[in-house]
């Protein structure tokens, strides 16, 4: 099944489908809450990681990222 919409309309359609599912299936609420919580923790961890350990210029153009010779 595909929905022939793109861009903002696709985002709104996805949000409506998620909202209907959250209302219709109570067990999905718990799964959704856990998933959003994990997503927020991972995003926060990555934000802090890159804030305190920024990418240095010499790391960007590394032809051998694994250090293999």
């Amino acid at each position: 099944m595909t929905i022939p919409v793109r861009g903002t309309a696709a985002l709104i359609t996805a949000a409506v489908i998620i909202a209907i599912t959250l209302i219709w299936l109570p067990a999905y609420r718990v799964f959704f809450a856990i998933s959003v919580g994990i997503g927020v923790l991972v995003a926060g961890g990555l934000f802090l990681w890159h804030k305190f350990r920024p990418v240095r210029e010499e790391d960007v153009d590394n032809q051998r990222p694994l250090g293999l010779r």
Side-chain angles (χ1 to χ4, degrees), residues 3-66:
I3 301 172
V5 292
R6 294 178 186 249
T8 305
L11 182 62
I12 292 171
T13 302
V16 168
I17 290 172
I18 290 173
I20 290 171
T21 307
L22 287 172
I23 293 168
W24 185 42
L25 298 171
Y28 187 72
R29 295 176 198 158
V30 175
F31 173 76
F32 187 76
I34 292 170
S35 299
V36 169
I38 291 171
V40 167
L41 287 174
V42 169
L46 287 171
F47 174 78
L48 290 174
W49 176 269
H50 289 291
K51 181 177 180 180
F52 293 114
R53 299 187 75 176
V55 177
R56 297 181 308 247
E57 187 173 341
E58 59 267 10
D59 295 338
V60 174
D61 195 24
N62 189 357
Q63 296 297 322
R64 299 184 185 272
L66 297 177

